[in-house]
């Protein structure tokens, strides 16, 4: 039997990963408990962890944020009908007001979707109401913290409010949850050339560079056994994922709606105690929501460490997760 673990996700059916909470690593559990006392503190902690390269802390905080502060959409039919009596009056010389009203009505009618929530936040920004945009994005992030566009928009809000450090940190978070991080970095580099308004983007690039160096130092200190060229397919020994410690990934609603499927391949740097230290996305499904659902859930897993010369040792492990609709 190959040590290369293939886990299959399905909208309906049996998964190879058990449902429920994984066994929490005490240090990470303490970080989450202390940092998520409020929604704002939890979001700040996510940005701090991303900036500092504490990837597993960031993911644990992202799992906690919707659990503690997310809101579930109400069943259809329970929302009050929008009051349309004054639509004509609103339309006179106030297009921004009309756009905001229409988007808020759509959300109240149970039609909330990431794109629509984004549009409402951007409408507030266009109407020069950054505080309202921030509130809308805070609520959106509390429900879907790994949605990179929300963090990009929040960075713009922070920049307009003069909070450049927070804007740069939000940009760093977004980079970790996009399908193509290299393309996003290139976009930051272009934006950094805009002068004063490009300052947060330049700062984000500096933070990303420092984070990459810190991760490289951490890996060098562990001196892990590298993956074989065949990535474990032919039975090359590597740490084994303990699926009983994992959290069952849930099919993202947007992915179900759009019938998205695909395979995500992750490399885990596992220490001698079997704890993940770093996770790299080697292959994307092509869909950010599927990739991020995989990362958030499987980052809670622990491993049976590789044994070398009779002793547990740090090593890389390869994991595939396949999303299928059945």
């Amino acid at each position: 039997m190959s040590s290369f673990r293939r886990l299959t996700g399905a909208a309906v059916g049996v998964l190879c990963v058990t449902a429920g909470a994984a066994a929490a690593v005490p240090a990470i559990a303490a970080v989450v408990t202390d940092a998520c006392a409020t929604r704002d503190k939890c979001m700040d902690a996510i940005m701090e962890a991303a900036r500092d390269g504490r990837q597993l802390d960031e993911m644990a905080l992202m799992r906690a944020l919707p659990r503690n502060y997310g809101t579930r959409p109400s069943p259809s039919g329970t929302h009050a009908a929008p009051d349309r009596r004054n639509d004509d009056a609103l339309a006179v010389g106030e297009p921004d007001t009309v756009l905001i009203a229409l988007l808020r009505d759509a959300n109240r009618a149970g039609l909330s979707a990431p794109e629509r929530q984004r549009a409402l936040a951007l409408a507030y920004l266009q109407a020069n109401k950054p505080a309202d945009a921030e509130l809308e994005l805070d609520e959106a992030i509390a429900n879907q913290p790994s949605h990179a566009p929300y963090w990009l928009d929040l960075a713009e809000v922070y920049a307009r409010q003069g909070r450049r450090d927070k804007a740069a940190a939000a940009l760093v978070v977004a980079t970790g949850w996009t399908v193509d991080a290299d393309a996003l970095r290139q976009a930051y580099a272009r934006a950094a050339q805009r002068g004063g308004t490009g300052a947060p983007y330049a700062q984000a690039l500096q933070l990303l560079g420092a984070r990459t160096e810190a991760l490289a130092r951490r890996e060098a200190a562990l001196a892990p056994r590298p993956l074989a060229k065949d990535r474990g397919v032919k039975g090359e020994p590597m740490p084994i994922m303990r699926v009983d410690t994992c959290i069952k990934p849930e099919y993202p609603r947007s992915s179900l709606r759009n019938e998205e499927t695909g395979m995500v391949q992750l490399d885990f740097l596992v220490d001698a105690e079997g704890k993940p230290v770093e996770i790299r996305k080697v292959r994307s499904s092509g869909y950010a929501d599927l990739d991020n659902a995989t990362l958030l859930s499987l980052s809670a897993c622990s491993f049976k460490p590789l044994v070398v010369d009779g002793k547990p040792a740090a090593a890389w492990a390869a994991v595939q997760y396949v999303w299928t609709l059945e």
Side-chain angles (χ1 to χ4, degrees), residues 4-283:
F4 188 80
R5 306 296 298 224
R6 180 179 290 266
L7 310 176
T8 302
V12 178
V14 179
L15 293 174
C16 296
V17 180
T18 57
V25 178
I28 293 179
V31 168
V32 171
T33 301
D34 294 342
C36 286
T38 68
R39 186 179 71 182
D40 289 348
K41 287 183 177 180
C42 204
M43 289 178 59
D44 286 344
I46 288 170
M47 288 187 281
E48 181 179 351
R51 184 192 61 206
D52 295 345
R54 292 182 286 109
Q55 187 186 36
L56 275 296
D57 286 353
E58 178 188 354
M59 292 179 180
L61 290 161
M62 281 195 170
R63 291 194 298 271
L65 183 60
R67 184 172 65 242
N68 294 346
Y69 304 106
T71 56
R72 294 284 182 179
S74 301
S76 59
T78 63
H79 298 266
D83 182 357
R84 304 198 179 281
R85 292 172 297 175
N86 297 320
D87 279 1
D88 292 341
L90 281 173
V92 179
E94 295 288 344
D96 292 341
T97 302
V98 174
L99 177 59
I100 290 169
L102 289 172
L103 290 167
R104 291 175 69 178
D105 285 349
N107 284 343
R108 283 199 297 265
L111 301 175
S112 180
E115 297 80 7
R116 189 172 291 109
Q117 288 185 289
R118 252 196 109 191
L120 179 54
L122 293 173
Y124 279 129
L125 269 182
Q126 183 176 321
N128 198 28
K129 297 180 178 180
D132 290 327
E134 181 179 359
L135 288 173
E136 187 67 30
L137 289 167
D138 285 353
E139 181 177 337
I141 288 171
N143 284 290
Q144 194 176 357
S146 63
H147 193 58
Y150 290 156
W151 292 99
L152 293 172
D153 296 340
L154 189 60
E156 180 64 24
V157 170
Y158 289 150
R160 293 196 186 189
Q161 295 172 333
R163 295 187 281 177
R164 291 184 176 179
D165 288 347
K166 293 194 74 169
L171 292 170
V172 171
V173 176
T175 309
W177 300 98
T178 186
V179 169
D180 191 340
D182 289 337
L184 199 55
R185 285 174 183 253
Q186 292 170 14
Y188 292 172
R190 292 191 296 270
Q193 298 175 0
R194 296 194 308 227
T197 60
Y201 297 95
Q203 186 175 344
L205 288 171
Q206 292 176 351
L207 290 172
L208 287 167
R211 187 177 70 170
T212 299
E213 292 174 0
L215 290 172
R217 289 194 297 270
R218 186 180 305 166
E219 180 179 352
L222 287 172
R225 179 179 179 136
L227 282 167
K229 291 183 179 180
D230 61 18
R231 309 191 65 76
V233 172
K234 296 180 180 178
E236 188 73 20
M238 64 182 183
I240 302 299
M241 177 176 281
R242 295 174 53 205
V243 295
D244 59 308
T245 67
C246 299
I247 294 173
K248 174 182 175 179
E250 294 185 8
Y251 226 112
R253 293 179 183 177
S254 59
S255 298
L256 282 173
R257 185 172 63 248
N258 297 322
E259 298 185 350
E260 296 170 353
T261 62
M263 189 267 285
V264 184
Q265 183 163 308
L266 305 175
D267 284 355
F268 288 74
L269 173 55
V270 180
D271 68 13
E273 296 179 359
K275 294 184 295 186
V277 176
E278 181 185 346
I279 307 174
R280 293 176 182 171
K281 182 172 64 179
V282 178
R283 175 177 170 180

